Amino acid sequence: MNRKRLYIQEVATRDGFQNESRFVDTEAKIALIDCLSECGYAKIEVTSFTSPKAIPALRDAEAVMHRIKRREGIIYTALVPNVRGAERAISCHVDEINLVMSVSESHNRSNLRMTREQSFAQLRSVIEAVQKTPVSINVSLSTAMGCPMEGDVPVEQVLEWVQRFVDIGIHGVTLCDTTGMAFPSQVATLSEAVRSRFPALEVTLHFHNTRGMALANTLSALGAGIDRFDASLGGLGGCPYAPGATGNVCTEDLVHMLELEGFRTGVDLDGVLAASALLPGLVGHEVPGQLLKAGRRLDLHPMPSTEGGA
Ligand code: COA
Ligand code: ZN
């Protein structure tokens, strides 16, 4: 039995809620994150410190970050697009800042209203400032496996951006399939290239299930030695500035599969399912996750009665 340890990072309250039209009440966000803190995640992406005009759903980032109960051993991170966001995040004592920019120029412009070079310059000044503090830094590279406006994104281009961040002292990078364009053999090629060129780098893969390939892509990444994955409760998620974006790989579906395959995720699946059951009430619609509807593989059903039928 494969007992390899994996690291599962919850992103529902950031990637999920950023894309919801209904504002999830601050108290409800805090209660949900407190629930998730009991579930054994390696990391929770609590919110983002973005412009409240760009992402109104997360305009309560300070209140949420200040009031959640932090559990030792979990890294509480937040997405940050610029210097102003980093200042806000640091004032809330985040454990980690998750900086973001896109590998493709078009998505960077539509999402962040900057060229990639302008983004890089902003992020570099954030990195220089944050490196003097105890806060750690991860860099998320959006559209690393395809851009909804430009199409294929060459592996070399992804490696170049990773290299630029490694050169300025970054130890962790997330490769994001922002709109679910990745497919398994592509994921294997990219993952192998990143692992072999940057063996010491902490690499996270961030899949969206837009075309139903997120679990297949995860298996492919595992085969290439990746051990860290973002996932979203109920399969919520999506970038409001990427045409056609839909939810992330669903945490409970992912954990269920990984445990069947013999991996140790550290995640308490019952706790995650209980938290996921709260989502429709919070966001006002059904969520895409399948496990909550179907039950675990061996949740058996009573045999239907054969007596008295017509
Ligand atoms: N937090 C809070 N407010 C911010 C901010 C931040 N991180 N960055 C900028 N602002 C405010 C400015 O103070 C300014 O406010 P004002 O209009 O009241 O003066 C306003 O936002 C515009 O600032 P500007 O620097 O011109 O930014 P912009 O309008 O070009 O937007 C971003 C750039 C990056 C701030 C914005 O596009 C953004 O937050 N994008 C995030 C997108 C995202 O999270 N996508 C999903 C995740 S991938
Ligand atoms: Zn995402």
Side-chain angles (χ1 to χ4, degrees):
M1 202 41 141
N2 186 347
R3 297 301 292 162
K4 186 174 175 188
R5 169 80 162 104
L6 302 180
Y7 300 88
I8 306 298
Q9 310 179 157
E10 180 57 55
V11 299
T13 55
R14 196 280 295 172
D15 208 329
F17 288 168
Q18 76 183 9
N19 203 32
E20 293 297 327
S21 48
R22 183 200 274 191
F23 181 76
V24 177
D25 177 65
T26 306
E27 296 306 321
K29 285 177 180 142
I30 295 167
L32 181 67
I33 294 162
D34 287 348
C35 250
L36 295 171
S37 288
E38 301 300 313
C39 292
Y41 290 99
K43 196 184 274 190
I44 298 178
E45 191 159 304
V46 174
T47 186
S48 74
F49 291 92
T50 44
S51 155
K53 285 183 196 135
I55 308 285
L58 302 180
R59 61 181 182 264
D60 56 359
E62 273 86 353
V64 173
M65 203 71 225
H66 276 303
R67 287 167 49 202
I68 52 170
K69 287 194 215 82
R70 300 206 200 170
R71 203 185 160 109
E72 225 182 296
I74 302 177
I75 296 167
Y76 293 91
T77 188
L79 193 84
V80 163
N82 59 10
V83 175
R84 169 99 185 83
E87 289 164 355
R88 292 174 59 206
I90 289 169
S91 78
C92 297
H93 309 289
V94 296
D95 297 321
E96 180 193 89
I97 284 178
N98 184 20
L99 296 174
V100 63
M101 66 169 283
S102 309
V103 178
S104 67
E105 186 73 16
S106 313
H107 185 255
N108 204 73
R109 281 172 178 271
S110 72
N111 193 38
L112 301 173
R113 297 160 56 90
M114 289 178 257
T115 64
R116 288 175 297 179
E117 290 302 334
Q118 285 168 329
S119 273
F120 185 74
Q122 285 257 337
L123 301 190
R124 187 173 45 202
S125 34
V126 172
I127 291 164
E128 282 163 7
V130 174
Q131 277 167 342
K132 299 180 190 120
T133 76
V135 176
S136 58
I137 309 175
N138 183 78
V139 173
S140 277
L141 293 174
S142 299
T143 61
M145 290 163 246
C147 169
M149 290 151 292
E150 294 179 17
D152 281 326
V153 170
V155 170
E156 263 317 307
Q157 209 171 320
V158 180
L159 296 178
E160 263 170 46
W161 282 104
V162 174
Q163 183 72 59
R164 289 182 70 174
F165 283 105
V166 167
D167 287 346
I168 54 173
I170 290 300
H171 305 291
V173 167
T174 301
L175 302 175
C176 303
D177 181 22
T178 308
T179 60
M181 293 173 69
F183 56 96
S185 53
Q186 174 199 13
V187 169
T189 304
L190 177 62
S191 303
E192 278 158 17
V194 172
R195 301 276 341 112
S196 70
R197 181 139 152 203
F198 307 100
L201 189 66
E202 191 177 282
V203 180
T204 299
L205 286 203
H206 175 106
F207 291 119
H208 282 260
N209 199 35
T210 316
R211 294 175 178 80
M213 288 189 275
L215 290 179
N217 288 335
T218 303
L219 288 176
S220 201
L222 282 165
I226 303 292
D227 61 0
R228 246 169 221 280
F229 297 93
D230 283 348
S232 175
L233 197 65
L236 288 184
C239 173
Y241 298 98
T246 62
N248 290 78
V249 67
C250 168
T251 307
E252 55 268 31
D253 296 359
L254 176 72
V255 168
H256 180 249
M257 177 189 80
L258 293 174
E259 301 216 324
L260 287 172
E261 290 297 311
F263 291 99
R264 284 186 300 125
T265 64
V267 174
D268 165 19
L269 192 49
D270 286 329
V272 168
L273 284 166
S276 184
L278 303 171
L279 286 179
L282 297 181
V283 297
H285 58 80
E286 283 302 307
V287 297
Q290 289 177 290
L291 196 69
L292 199 62
K293 296 167 197 138
R296 285 176 164 84
R297 179 176 163 269
L298 288 179
D299 286 350
L300 302 182
H301 301 268
M303 196 166 145
S305 165
T306 50
E307 287 165 30

